Amino acid sequence: MTPDRAPVEHSLTDEDRLVLEAHGVSLNEASRQLRLLREPPPPIRLVGPCTAGNGIEVLADEQCPALLEAWRSAADAGRLVKLVPASGAATRMFASLSRARHAFADSRQPDPGDASDLATFLDRIDDFAFAPTLRDAAPHDGDEGLLDALLGEAGLDYGRLPKALIPFHRDGEAARAPVEEHLAESSELVRDATGHCAVHFTVPRGSEPAFRRRADGLSGDWDLGFSIQEPSTDTVAVDAEAAPFRVGGTLFMRPGGHGSLLVNLARLAAGSSADLVLVKNIDNVQPRSRRQDGLVAQRLLIGRLVELVDNAHQLVRGLAAADPSAIHDAVDFLETSFLPASTTALGLSREELSERLDRPIRVCGMVANAGETGGGPFWAADCEGLTTAQIVETAEVGPSSDQQAILSSSTHFNPVLMALSLRDFRGEPYELDRYVDSRRAFISDKNADGRPLQALEHPGLWNGSMAGWNTIFVEVPKGAFTPVKTVLDLLKAEHQPC
């Protein structure tokens, strides 16, 4: 571990140091976080939206056979592992029903929006895959009894379970949770020629046995990996006076957001024989009968990544060997693959070209925007001041009219469907923290202990944490993105039996 050299902030006490030590957070890092909270970095500078044909590739039919062959070869060779971020609880999924339950407990009527959600839930209760289990758990008829059975600690307690374990779909007589759907899908995406299938879940602490029990019900040769969000990625917060936030005199530490999972990704790269990682969120799943669009889209993303990796590694080797054509070819590859039309790689030295090519690559699926919230694809100034393709969240954009105009002109959004290459041309894993733009940390207003605080999150995993990666965007069909953010999303056609 690197020794602490920066001066310790005067506002951190000896007791604070013990808390930091218990979390594995250095004094340097805590001081850096406090400085960010007190003097937030400037917002990202957008240059323009990435659109179809200008930063977002729309694959032609004639490209697909070669890309599918590249996917198949990579899968057969055991180069693939699927990463599923699955740490989140189902709290937000059942938020409106939970509020309605608390209203009944207080002898008052739920708010109109919550009452509407409850009415829809009750009217279509038998269309939920978990309906038989819920009816068995309900102590008596009536709205309150069903809500208690659904969300109470003595019942199913669904609001506190990992979302990965909530039954989403019916498959014949069986109910399938997201963890099972992801495993079934993975067997059609990352299985190698021997039938071996590598899947890694990031999970809440203590939940690994429950995940494994779900997997035991599926046939297959699974190489299952699990990891938690490390306490060393927790962050400090500040109060209204910009002093470190404490509860009962003890320094308050919060989870550092999904950017914390960069540590998990780096460990996966170092500890796996695979060099290509497919990432898909836990709640973006389709039942077996509606899976085809998503399968094809992911295979094409992997195939496109294999093409890019093969070309980049070949060019890096050529530059190292002083191949006479390597500089011209490297410039052409950078300009046509990763840079906007207005940017040129001409004038870069052999060493600079090699450095721009010898870095992690990601191919990110993008869905045409139909009003969904979330990050989107933009041309933006990266951590080195170069205009590159970036996934940007709304909260990262400044309030100026020109920046907001660019934000509102976005045509696509990020469904978190991406293929990543994590090893260099020598087969060594990249040091992923080298490519983080630390300026893109998130600062948000939260509450704890009945008091307001300002919270810090690390740059998002697919936002600032991958700002220095070579990135391309590829349009994927809407059918590849069917997230479940609220329980009522399960009533949409894409989650119901055909």
Side-chain angles (χ1 to χ4, degrees), residues 12 61 92 234 249 286 356 422 433 497:
L12 291 173
D61 290 344
R92 293 182 185 177
D234 290 351
Q286 299 82 35
R356 289 301 308 182
L422 304 181
D433 55 359

Side-chain angles (χ1 to χ4, degrees), residues 264-275:
N264 305 61
L265 185 60
R267 290 179 179 170
L268 178 61
S272 171
S273 59
D275 66 303

Side-chain angles (χ1 to χ4, degrees), residues 84-166:
V84 185
S87 302
T91 307
R92 293 182 185 177
M93 182 176 167
F94 293 97
S96 62
L97 300 186
S98 180
R99 289 192 298 268
R101 177 173 178 251
H102 286 300
F104 288 138
D106 294 339
S107 301
R108 56 184 174 84
Q109 290 299 308
D111 291 340
D114 297 337
S116 176
D117 284 359
L118 176 60
T120 301
F121 177 79
L122 295 172
D123 182 57
R124 295 192 59 185
I125 193 168
D126 290 320
D127 290 328
F128 293 99
F130 54 75
T133 305
L134 174 59
R135 290 199 180 281
D136 288 343
H140 54 75
D141 291 333
D143 300 354
E144 294 180 50
L146 280 170
L147 287 177
D148 285 344
L150 180 74
L151 300 173
E153 290 185 41
L156 302 178
D157 203 14
Y158 273 0
R160 295 199 299 177
L161 277 185
K163 187 185 283 190
L165 303 179
I166 304 293

Side-chain angles (χ1 to χ4, degrees), residues 4-25:
D4 296 315
R5 291 193 176 92
V8 177
E9 292 284 345
H10 65 83
S11 53
L12 291 173
T13 67
D14 289 341
E15 289 77 12
D16 294 339
R17 298 182 193 188
L18 294 176
V19 173
L20 293 170
E21 183 178 341
H23 282 256
V25 178

Side-chain angles (χ1 to χ4, degrees), residues 310-322 326 330 350 353-359 424-426 430:
D310 288 349
N311 284 335
H313 288 181
Q314 181 179 352
L315 287 168
V316 172
R317 292 188 189 97
L319 289 166
R350 186 183 299 272
L353 288 169
S354 181
E355 195 281 329
R356 289 301 308 182
L357 287 170
D358 190 16
R359 56 178 62 196
D424 63 21
F425 70 100
R426 295 176 296 268
Y430 288 106

Side-chain angles (χ1 to χ4, degrees), residues 11 33 105 114 191 212 239-240 249 262 267 274 311 326 343 394 440 444 447 464 471 491-492:
S11 53
Q33 293 175 13
D114 297 337
R191 186 178 66 246
R212 287 194 180 277
D239 61 21
L262 190 70
R267 290 179 179 170
N311 284 335
T343 304
T394 301
R440 293 178 63 183
S444 56
N447 286 275
T471 298
L491 299 175
K492 294 178 179 178

Side-chain angles (χ1 to χ4, degrees), residues 179-253:
V179 61
E180 295 162 296
E181 298 289 29
H182 271 282
L183 289 171
E185 181 186 80
S186 298
S187 69
E188 301 187 64
L189 288 170
V190 301
R191 186 178 66 246
D192 67 19
T194 69
H196 192 70
C197 190
V199 186
H200 187 97
F201 293 93
T202 64
V203 300
R205 186 182 296 275
S207 65
E208 180 180 333
F211 276 72
R212 287 194 180 277
R213 284 194 295 272
R214 291 284 188 171
D216 288 343
L218 298 177
S219 60
D221 179 12
W222 304 106
D223 177 9
L224 295 182
F226 298 92
S227 61
I228 61 168
Q229 191 164 309
E230 294 294 333
S232 60
T233 64
D234 290 351
T235 58
V236 298
V238 295
D239 61 21
E241 283 72 45
F245 193 92
R246 298 180 176 87
V247 175
T250 300
L251 187 68
F252 185 64
M253 304 290 290

